[in-house]
Amino acid sequence: YQIKPDLPFVAGGEAAGFVSEVGRDVTGFKPGDRVAVVGSVGAFAEKILRKESELIRIPDSMSFDIAAGFCVAYGTAYYALKQCGNLRKGESVLVLGAAGGVGLAAVDLSRALGAKVIAAASDVNKLAIAESVGAHDSIRYDRDSLKDRTRLLTDGNGADVVFDPVGGDASEQALRAIAWNGRFLVVGFAAGEIPRLPLNLPLLKNCSICGVFFGAWAQRYPDAYVSNFNELFALFGEGLLHPVVSDSFTLGDFRGAFASLSERRATGKVILRIRDEIQ
């Protein structure tokens, strides 16, 4: 994201908890309100100072463990599928990295929006997690041809939408398996390599490639950002979303929390608990 904060800084991009106090000009929140906070840094602290516009009111039915890992993953996935991908009911969605935090959110949301969901991941255990939140079919791309398997599962048509937070070699394979008028969503590069895609493929498939920069979009379009979260919380309240928390750690065991991510053991979100008594 081309962001390099000055040292020293507190890590952490999102958090959830109670409002403890507010400034004299704040009108939308009061002490005791249950909120989530999204930002580039600063979340892994006992107290966080944020502007009123940076808070998201969370429903009473949502635990803080869920809320602390909900907004970035589900906010990104929903913006990608709705605003960028223009996903329609009955279409097919191929989700790469389907067992990661944003990948699982994309699987969960695509199913809730009425799409046929194909989950792609690197092993059977990760695919089982994706299937548990709604994937209709799955592909092990360490073993199967992503292109051939996707086309087989879509009756030769290809995927209408490709959700790609992985990058690397999988991206070109997925683009080759996209449907006519498909939408390829560039979400991230978890594989560590930014792919160089042949531009003849979008021409031949009449498809579009759309970058998904959720944070920048939210700053530019705050009303749409709030509207998206209202819709997400409504879906959650109806029982249509199933956020997955892989594990939670105390702040003192932050090394264990980061190891679960760097060693690729996590499925869904990993949570740091500042104080265990907060629920």
Side-chain angles (χ1 to χ4, degrees):
Y1 295 112
Q2 314 300 312
I3 296 171
K4 187 176 181 180
D6 294 330
L7 294 172
F9 71 94
V10 175
E14 58 183 327
F18 293 108
V19 173
S20 61
E21 54 187 309
V22 300
R24 63 185 179 184
D25 295 327
V26 172
T27 58
F29 296 91
K30 64 182 185 305
D33 283 349
R34 304 173 78 254
V35 298
V37 177
V38 177
S40 57
V41 294
F44 300 160
E46 290 181 290
K47 288 194 173 184
I48 308 167
L49 179 63
R50 283 289 189 271
K51 297 178 181 177
E52 182 177 5
S53 60
E54 295 173 324
L55 301 184
I56 301 167
R57 191 184 306 277
I58 61 175
D60 292 338
S61 60
M62 181 177 282
S63 71
F64 284 130
D65 272 17
I66 293 294
F70 183 87
C71 293
V72 170
Y74 278 81
T76 299
Y78 195 43
Y79 163 58
L81 295 169
K82 179 186 175 183
Q83 275 88 5
C84 300
N86 191 28
L87 179 64
R88 295 180 289 273
K89 185 176 181 179
E91 290 191 315
S92 58
V93 180
L94 171 63
V95 180
L96 307 186
V102 72
L104 272 177
V107 170
D108 199 13
L109 271 166
S110 297
R111 179 64 180 260
L113 296 172
K116 176 182 178 180
V117 188
I118 303 169
S122 57
D123 67 59
V124 67
N125 294 325
K126 291 181 178 180
L127 289 175
I129 295 292
E131 290 168 358
S132 74
V133 299
H136 297 90
D137 294 296
S138 58
I139 302 172
R140 272 186 62 179
Y141 47 54
D142 63 328
R143 182 187 65 184
D144 301 324
S145 166
L146 190 58
K147 172 189 171 184
D148 293 344
R149 182 72 175 155
T150 300
R151 294 186 67 82
L152 179 65
L153 293 172
T154 57
D155 299 322
N157 296 316
D160 296 300
V161 174
V162 174
F163 184 94
D164 182 13
V166 176
D169 294 337
S171 296
E172 184 173 334
Q173 292 185 54
L175 184 58
R176 289 183 181 276
I178 203 167
W180 177 261
N181 278 338
R183 287 83 74 198
F184 189 99
L185 307 178
V186 181
V187 183
F189 313 104
E193 180 183 346
I194 299 175
R196 297 177 181 273
L197 298 173
L199 288 182
N200 65 310
L201 296 177
L203 185 153
L204 293 172
K205 296 296 185 73
N206 204 54
C207 68
S208 60
I209 299 175
C210 181
V212 178
F213 194 166
F214 172 60
W217 170 80
Q219 292 177 357
R220 290 171 180 265
Y221 303 98
D223 291 341
Y225 169 78
V226 171
S227 177
N228 271 19
F229 272 109
N230 288 338
E231 293 169 14
L232 284 170
F233 292 143
L235 289 171
F236 178 83
E238 294 170 18
L240 296 176
L241 299 182
H242 313 87
V244 176
V245 174
S246 175
D247 210 345
S248 63
F249 296 81
T250 64
L251 185 59
D253 191 20
F254 70 90
R255 290 180 178 84
F258 279 101
S260 71
L261 297 175
S262 62
E263 296 170 8
R264 303 177 71 90
R265 291 184 278 108
T267 53
K269 300 295 290 189
V270 175
I271 302 301
L272 277 179
R273 283 172 163 253
I274 305 301
R275 290 197 298 272
D276 278 341
E277 68 270 19
I278 294 181
Q279 296 295 331

